[in-house]
Amino acid sequence: VVVGGQDASRAASRSALVAAIMGSSYAQTCASKTATAIADTPLTVVDRAGEPVEASAEVLLGTYQGGVHGLVSQLVLDVLVDGNAFAELTGAPTPTSPLLGRVVRHDPGDVVPIADAEGLAVVGYRVTTLARSYTVTPDRMCHARLLTVRARPDHLLGVSPLYALLGELEGDRGLSAYLASRPHGTEDGVLLRSRASSAAD
């Protein structure tokens, strides 16, 4: 069972939302400031049971090209735009040599969870990039999600909190495009005169 079987519609919805956000300076600023604010807070790494993890985990997170701050900021942006964020652990890190591993952030549009036969649990993640397609086991993938929809099998995917604003953002973008295309000035536009000024002329 591949979650999000409507891959084409999911991709189309995501593309529409990304375009709407990129077309709104307000939405861009809000998303950016939120991501930065969260990335600026002290990072505490915990395991699935909520127990703190040794400091070497933070060293491993630092293998991301933008460092820990860049990784957290990008993952928050992914969650805001897609409702999902994915980071894969590659290599074989050890407590004494964490840099033997590497953290790779994946675009949410490139990753789809694979569920068990009942569609209740994730048994893997299908990653499709321009270079190749492969499967990642759940213990090697960090998947953060928001606003989970309780409808099988899509309950394993999140929904962007900005999706509810898609219509409004698209309307604003359309209005901005219209205003930008309007004629400017009396030479290109319509000159309006009052009756008093017309009589005086």
Side-chain angles (χ1 to χ4, degrees), residues 107-158:
D107 186 288
D110 294 339
V111 183
V112 178
I114 303 171
D116 58 14
E118 291 77 30
L120 299 175
V122 174
V123 296
Y125 293 89
R126 187 186 70 197
V127 179
T128 304
T129 66
L130 292 176
R132 63 189 178 118
S133 180
Y134 61 98
T135 300
V136 180
T137 56
D139 63 320
R140 309 289 288 186
M141 182 74 79
C142 170
H143 177 195
R145 63 181 186 262
L146 283 177
L147 302 178
T148 302
V149 178
R150 296 186 180 277
R152 288 197 319 165
D154 287 336
H155 68 286
L156 299 176
L157 282 170

Side-chain angles (χ1 to χ4, degrees), residues 18-158:
V18 170
I21 292 173
M22 295 305 293
S24 169
S25 60
Y26 297 108
Q28 284 187 57
T29 300
C30 285
S32 177
K33 284 185 176 294
T34 300
T36 300
I38 293 176
D40 285 343
T41 59
L43 179 67
T44 302
V45 182
V46 298
D47 59 21
R48 293 181 187 276
E51 297 297 323
V53 178
E54 64 274 2
S56 59
E58 193 163 344
V59 176
L60 178 61
L61 294 177
T63 61
Y64 183 72
Q65 187 174 9
V68 177
H69 186 277
L71 175 62
V72 173
S73 179
Q74 184 59 60
L75 292 178
V76 172
L77 284 173
D78 288 342
V79 166
L80 290 175
V81 173
D82 187 80
N84 301 273
F86 299 95
E88 178 188 355
L89 173 62
T90 63
T94 66
T96 55
S97 301
L99 293 182
L100 289 177
R102 192 164 65 96
V103 174
V104 178
R105 171 255 171 195
H106 290 294
D107 186 288
D110 294 339
V111 183
V112 178
I114 303 171
D116 58 14
E118 291 77 30
L120 299 175
V122 174
V123 296
Y125 293 89
R126 187 186 70 197
V127 179
T128 304
T129 66
L130 292 176
R132 63 189 178 118
S133 180
Y134 61 98
T135 300
V136 180
T137 56
D139 63 320
R140 309 289 288 186
M141 182 74 79
C142 170
H143 177 195
R145 63 181 186 262
L146 283 177
L147 302 178
T148 302
V149 178
R150 296 186 180 277
R152 288 197 319 165
D154 287 336
H155 68 286
L156 299 176
L157 282 170

Side-chain angles (χ1 to χ4, degrees), residues 182-193:
R182 285 195 314 175
H184 298 285
T186 57
E187 293 181 1
D188 298 329
V190 178
L191 179 61
L192 298 180
R193 299 188 180 188

